[in-house]
Amino acid sequence: MGIRVVTMSVSDLFAKGALPKGFLLAASVPAYLDLDSFREIMLGIKDACKKYNMSFLGGDLGGADDVVLTGIAFGFSERIIRRDSARPGDTVWVTGDFGVSGAALHYMLNKGKAEEHIISGILDKYFNPQISLSDAKGLIRCASAAMDSSDGLAITLHTLARKSKVKIVLDKIPLNSVVIEYAKLNKADPIKFALYGGEEFEIVFTVRNMNDNEVIKIFKKHGARKPIKIGKIEKGEGVFYGGKRIEERGWQHFTK
């Protein structure tokens, strides 16, 4: 829980091209929570802050009927990468593959079946999401627009398209290999896991006036993972894959 609340906050900073500097926590916990469990949460926060080279500056502690952790991370950027600045001709990229979150939730909520080596890998990636501090350093050098994908890949792409008043055409949807295996065992569609699972914490970004090798070289120079090109920006509206419009579905606040 501690690792996750920090990761959720930091991924939004990365999407703006910002390097994290400090983290604050508002923790509301029930009286029945034992001290060792709370200590574990705080150790997770401490470890995550160390990983992202940021300071844990404290915060507030209160009571509640359940554990509620609210994290706030702040950082600094040479320039703010907006979500309304993609233009026709830009290419569309992501910092990693998708589908783990959707597969993990399917397994836990629908009693999915899977071999131990498959599901252990999926659950580990879900509960301990890994994002890279180096990604932000790569993004600031080449992204024309960007957005964190925690609400789901599909809704993130739609938001970028709508805010920028453009059309996004996908050539591929990068899938984690273990997700493909899990989907096959459960007769499920791995593409839906990738599009609508959410909480992947990867960055979706666009690039202008750079060829593919230049983008990859920039990320490599900063020690980041190799980004994946998934499509392009065109005139129009909506998000399309394989000639079909992708449904705009994902986590949305204030909806039924």
Side-chain angles (χ1 to χ4, degrees):
M1 293 172 72
I3 291 171
R4 200 173 184 83
V5 71
V6 175
T7 301
M8 293 169 67
S9 303
V10 169
S11 68
D12 281 321
L13 290 180
F14 287 179
K16 301 298 99 184
L19 299 180
K21 190 70 174 178
F23 182 79
L24 294 160
L25 175 74
S28 297
V29 297
Y32 63 76
L33 184 73
D34 62 275
L35 189 59
D36 285 342
S37 294
F38 185 70
R39 185 178 288 111
E40 285 294 321
I41 292 173
M42 299 309 297
L43 285 173
I45 289 171
K46 179 182 176 181
D47 288 346
C49 285
K50 182 178 180 180
K51 175 183 177 180
Y52 300 123
N53 196 28
M54 61 197 301
S55 300
F56 176 47
L57 303 174
D60 183 61
L61 179 63
D65 293 331
D66 205 345
V67 178
V68 181
L69 306 177
T70 304
I72 297 176
F74 68 89
F76 301 91
S77 176
E78 297 173 25
R79 66 181 179 92
I80 300 298
I81 305 172
R82 299 173 60 89
R83 60 177 63 175
D84 62 356
S85 50
R87 299 292 180 264
D90 288 4
T91 50
V92 184
W93 299 70
V94 290
T95 53
D97 51 35
F98 288 81
V100 165
S101 178
L105 291 171
H106 181 276
Y107 175 80
M108 292 185 288
L109 300 176
N110 297 283
K111 297 181 179 180
K113 57 182 180 180
E115 296 175 19
E116 180 61 30
H117 75 279
I118 294 176
I119 198 58
S120 61
I122 288 173
L123 293 179
D124 181 62
K125 288 178 180 293
Y126 176 74
F127 286 114
N128 298 287
Q130 300 293 317
I131 60 177
S132 170
L133 180 63
S134 301
D135 288 344
K137 298 177 182 178
L139 286 164
I140 196 66
R141 302 300 173 199
C142 63
S144 55
M147 188 174 169
D148 151 275
S149 67
S150 58
D151 292 337
L153 177 58
I155 199 167
T156 300
L157 290 165
H158 272 283
T159 301
L160 281 171
R162 184 171 57 254
K163 292 291 186 179
S164 297
K165 296 181 174 60
V166 295
K167 174 182 178 180
I168 295 178
V169 179
L170 300 180
D171 301 317
K172 65 186 293 185
I173 296 174
L175 295 168
N176 188 288
S177 59
V178 293
V179 171
I180 297 173
E181 290 185 65
Y182 175 82
K184 186 177 181 180
L185 283 171
N186 289 272
K187 297 180 179 179
D189 185 356
I191 295 295
K192 289 185 178 179
F193 287 158
L195 288 174
Y196 308 116
E199 294 198 5
E200 304 275 9
F201 305 111
E202 299 293 351
I203 309 300
V204 181
F205 65 101
T206 60
V207 174
R208 185 174 307 142
N209 299 327
M210 283 188 188
N211 63 48
D212 298 354
N213 288 333
E214 286 180 290
V215 178
I216 293 171
K217 186 176 181 180
I218 287 172
F219 272 71
K220 184 178 180 180
K221 178 181 178 181
H222 292 283
R225 297 170 294 166
K226 181 180 178 180
I228 305 168
K229 181 182 174 182
I230 64 170
K232 56 184 178 296
I233 302 291
E234 297 181 355
K235 291 182 180 180
E237 54 87 25
V239 180
F240 294 81
Y241 175 61
K244 297 181 180 179
R245 182 187 289 266
I246 291 176
E247 181 183 358
E248 185 175 0
R249 178 157 57 89
W251 172 257
Q252 292 177 294
H253 294 277
F254 306 118
T255 61
K256 294 181 181 180

